[in-house]
Amino acid sequence: MGLLSFIYSVLGYNICATLFIAYLMFDYVLGALATFGARYVMESKSGGAYDFYIRWIRVDYGWTELTLTIGPITFKNPKKFKMTPFLIKIDRISCRVNPRSFLDWLKKKRPMEVENVEIERMRLHMERDGKGEMNCWAALGMDAAAGEAT
């Protein structure tokens, strides 16, 4: 019986520790999954995938509101633009929605009821290369003439 209880205590401890660490890392795992999913979807677009990453996503549940907070989002420059470190960096986006409208939005019945959107510290670095192309249009897969026409 001693060996069996020892194995159970070690496995039980490891499972609890693993679950606790997974809980602590859940926001970062959501961010990695969102980055991967968005890049996968955008690869099929004509301009190609944007080079960006989302570090973490936190979801706060409540009876009357659901708050989605996304933290640092960085859109990187195309490779030929080297003078600026990134195109856009947003430290935090927070969006509060009505949780009852979320399910209808997923089913594509009604739009989601958004109560509040906050963007905290957004930095934009625009750069031109020697040919006159801008990094913002190159990141979107457009040339300067098409970008300025819109």
Side-chain angles (χ1 to χ4, degrees), residues 6 20 30-31 33 47 59 95 128 143:
F6 173 75
F20 180 69
L30 277 180
L33 288 173
V59 181
C95 180
R128 282 195 188 272
D143 61 349

Side-chain angles (χ1 to χ4, degrees), residues 23-53:
Y23 172 74
L24 292 177
M25 299 295 293
F26 185 67
D27 297 347
Y28 294 97
V29 170
L30 277 180
L33 288 173
T35 300
F36 174 75
R39 283 184 180 175
Y40 180 76
V41 168
M42 286 189 279
E43 282 177 358
S44 63
K45 303 294 181 192
S46 61
Y50 304 114
D51 192 10
F52 76 101
Y53 68 91

Side-chain angles (χ1 to χ4, degrees), residues 97-115:
V97 299
N98 184 347
R100 285 174 259 146
S101 71
F102 186 73
L103 190 58
D104 289 336
W105 175 73
L106 283 176
K107 293 178 181 178
K108 298 183 180 182
K109 290 183 179 178
R110 289 187 323 187
M112 189 175 2
E113 295 176 22
V114 178
E115 297 174 7

Side-chain angles (χ1 to χ4, degrees), residues 69-126:
T69 307
I70 303 170
I73 304 169
T74 304
F75 286 85
K76 297 179 183 178
N77 270 327
K79 295 190 187 308
K80 62 183 175 180
F81 297 96
K82 300 189 186 306
M83 293 177 56
T84 54
F86 50 81
L87 175 61
I88 299 173
K89 186 170 187 177
I90 302 170
D91 283 350
R92 186 178 63 89
I93 295 177
S94 181
C95 180
R96 190 172 61 222
V97 299
N98 184 347
R100 285 174 259 146
S101 71
F102 186 73
L103 190 58
D104 289 336
W105 175 73
L106 283 176
K107 293 178 181 178
K108 298 183 180 182
K109 290 183 179 178
R110 289 187 323 187
M112 189 175 2
E113 295 176 22
V114 178
E115 297 174 7
N116 188 21
V117 176
E118 296 175 10
I119 299 175
E120 182 178 305
R121 195 171 178 206
M122 183 171 115
R123 295 174 301 279
L124 170 67
H125 292 282
M126 296 183 75

